[in-house]
Amino acid sequence: NPTLIGYITGFMNFQKPMCYQPVQQDNLALVEVVHKRANTLQTMIAPQDPLDIVRAAEEASSKFNIDIALIFAVIEIESRYSKKAKSKKGCKGLTQTSKSTGKYMAEKLELKNYNPFDIRHNILTGIGYLKELIDQFGDLKTAITVYNRGIVNWLDNPVHSRYSHGVVKRYNYLRKLIKKEDGLACNK
């Protein structure tokens, strides 16, 4: 049985509550989802990585009140589950956190010896920052666009990107997949 159940505000419409994924320590069904998705995306990951990703995603889901399927969607789109991912712009890890954002969030979260390639550090800083953006902008698409493009680029050209549409689409797909795999998602 899940150890923690809660509700967060709906991402697409902040007026309606949306049930989020129950969080459970070492949830094997979620580990299997991560393993299968990494294989589907043809990403080579270490045998321990799916469990570490699930543990960190569960912690971030609980800490920031973010649906775990959204966390997996961000990870899939950003890094395809590769903890060693590095972009041309220098963003690193599973959530492709920039150096300045990682440092800022690590300080805020009091993470000692921050390492952007550490699964837990990267997920907590990336998802913590996404939560700040959701709170600041009030909707998921805008928050995801700012997460991807940066605040300065958003202010210069406040148009939602194809990237945000892709994350939302992946999020909706993963919610259904997780529900199918283990009955974890809300019955809607």
Side-chain angles (χ1 to χ4, degrees):
N1 288 334
T3 57
L4 179 63
I5 297 176
Y7 291 87
I8 61 171
T9 307
F11 289 123
M12 301 311 287
N13 179 350
F14 275 76
Q15 310 308 319
K16 297 178 183 176
M18 181 177 86
C19 191
Y20 81 91
Q21 302 299 335
V23 178
Q24 179 173 310
Q25 185 73 22
D26 298 343
N27 188 302
L28 296 179
L30 289 177
V31 171
E32 186 62 22
V33 166
V34 169
H35 178 73
K36 285 180 182 178
R37 294 299 301 155
N39 283 339
T40 298
L41 297 167
Q42 299 179 341
T43 303
M44 298 293 294
I45 59 176
Q48 181 65 28
D49 287 355
L51 179 60
D52 292 343
I53 290 168
V54 168
R55 284 180 175 162
E58 286 179 329
E59 181 180 354
S61 177
S62 177
K63 185 177 197 74
F64 304 116
N65 221 16
I66 297 285
D67 189 331
I68 201 163
L70 177 59
I71 296 169
F72 291 150
V74 169
I75 290 169
E76 275 197 19
I77 297 292
E78 290 289 348
S79 66
R80 301 168 66 110
Y81 295 101
S82 173
K83 68 182 178 188
K84 297 177 184 178
K86 186 173 179 184
S87 75
K88 293 175 189 173
K89 293 185 178 183
C91 296
K92 298 175 183 175
L94 291 162
T95 63
Q96 288 295 283
T97 319
S98 71
K99 185 175 182 176
S100 60
T101 299
K103 184 178 177 184
Y104 160 72
M105 288 304 301
E107 269 183 33
K108 187 170 185 174
L109 298 171
E110 299 177 358
L111 294 174
K112 304 286 188 231
N113 303 313
Y114 172 69
N115 176 356
F117 296 111
D118 177 90
I119 290 172
R120 180 175 176 270
H121 286 184
N122 190 273
I123 291 174
L124 287 175
T125 56
I127 300 307
Y129 181 60
L130 179 60
K131 172 63 172 168
E132 282 191 1
L133 295 173
I134 291 169
D135 291 346
Q136 180 178 352
F137 291 99
D139 77 274
L140 182 61
K141 282 189 178 180
T142 302
I144 289 172
T145 299
V146 173
Y147 183 90
N148 178 252
R149 290 177 44 207
I151 189 71
V152 173
N153 291 330
W154 169 258
L155 295 173
D156 287 345
N157 184 18
V159 177
H160 292 118
S161 64
R162 287 190 339 232
Y163 170 85
S164 68
H165 298 293
V167 172
V168 171
K169 187 175 179 180
R170 187 70 52 97
Y171 166 53
N172 290 328
Y173 168 75
L174 288 170
R175 284 186 75 217
K176 291 175 187 172
L177 178 67
I178 290 168
K179 178 179 179 178
K180 179 181 171 188
E181 287 291 320
D182 197 49
L184 291 175
C186 298
N187 295 320
K188 291 197 174 207

